[in-house]
Structure formats: structure tokens, C-alpha cells
Amino acid sequence: QVQVVESGGGLVQAGGSLRLSCTTSGLRFDDYAMGWFRQAPGREREGVSCISASGMITYYGDAVKGRFTISKDNAKNTLYLQMNSLSPEDTAMYYCAIRSGGACSSFWRLAKYNYWGQGTQVTVSS
């Protein structure tokens, strides 16, 4: 059984940083691309970032480019999202998701992901 668990969310002031983590079990972590999504109240879930199975290729949504960094540690079966220069507009529930393959094509499409975590809340105060 595949499990996906996010952690690291919390309350932070504007301009601050947080690092989200996502641990997985039940599959070969290094066989799959993985992504981060977020969903604010009343809004659709949006793609934040994706990293290829090898970890060599990354993608970012326009709203987070230059501020967020995705990475993975295959030895620890853990995905990370380093978030810097946070603003209130980044407030959302953040979800980790596992792709159906090793690449990140059309990374923003929810249907490309087979497994999802329950999310971790990030709140940025002004």
C-alpha cells in the first residue's frame, strides 16, 4: 500500500521561509517523478513544482519561480520543498503527489499523479 505523508507546514510571517517534507512508502521512490500542489480556500488546486525521478529536471509554476526549490533524497524516500520569501498569497494547503512515470511533462495536470498525501497547511501572515 502506497503512503504519502507531508509535514513541515505552519504559520510564518511574510518574507520568511519554510521547508516542507514528503515521505513515501510502498513503492520504489526513485522510479517516479513527484510534485507539489497547493490549494487555497475557494480556489482550484494548482501545480507548484515537479521533479523528475532522477532528480535532474525540475519545473516550477510562475508564481513560485525563484523563491521555491524542489529536491529529493532517494536514500530517505523523501521529497522537499524549500519555500523562501513567502507572501500571504502563498497561504494554502500544500499537497505532495506521485506521478505515474518518471517525467514531469504537463506537471500541472492533476490527472498525471496517482497518489496524493493529505496535505500540510501553510499560512503566511502579513
Side-chain angles (χ1 to χ4, degrees), residues 9-15 18 20 37-46 48 63-64 67-68 83 85-95 120-126:
L11 174 64
V12 64
Q13 289 188 332
L18 281 175
L20 305 183
F37 285 75
R38 67 185 183 184
Q39 187 168 19
R43 302 188 66 176
E44 293 186 353
R45 193 169 297 191
E46 66 169 337
V48 173
V64 307
R67 300 188 299 121
F68 290 12
M83 306 186 296
S85 301
L86 286 162
S87 72
E89 289 69 35
D90 295 313
T91 294
M93 185 72 79
Y94 283 72
Y95 297 90
T120 185
Q121 178 68 39
V122 172
T123 303
V124 185
S125 63
S126 57

Side-chain angles (χ1 to χ4, degrees), residues 18-99:
L18 281 175
R19 188 177 79 157
L20 305 183
S21 298
C22 171
T23 57
T24 71
S25 61
L27 48 67
R28 281 182 58 88
F29 183 82
D30 52 1
D31 280 351
Y32 301 96
M34 297 185 69
W36 287 99
F37 285 75
R38 67 185 183 184
Q39 187 168 19
R43 302 188 66 176
E44 293 186 353
R45 193 169 297 191
E46 66 169 337
V48 173
S49 184
C50 183
I51 188 166
S52 64
S54 67
M56 299 295 289
I57 302 173
T58 58
Y59 298 82
Y60 296 94
D62 289 341
V64 307
K65 278 180 184 175
R67 300 188 299 121
F68 290 12
T69 303
I70 191 171
S71 62
K72 61 186 310 204
D73 185 335
N74 287 340
K76 295 182 179 180
N77 282 14
T78 303
L79 176 73
Y80 301 101
L81 185 68
Q82 177 67 44
M83 306 186 296
N84 298 329
S85 301
L86 286 162
S87 72
E89 289 69 35
D90 295 313
T91 294
M93 185 72 79
Y94 283 72
Y95 297 90
C96 172
I98 303 174
R99 293 274 298 209

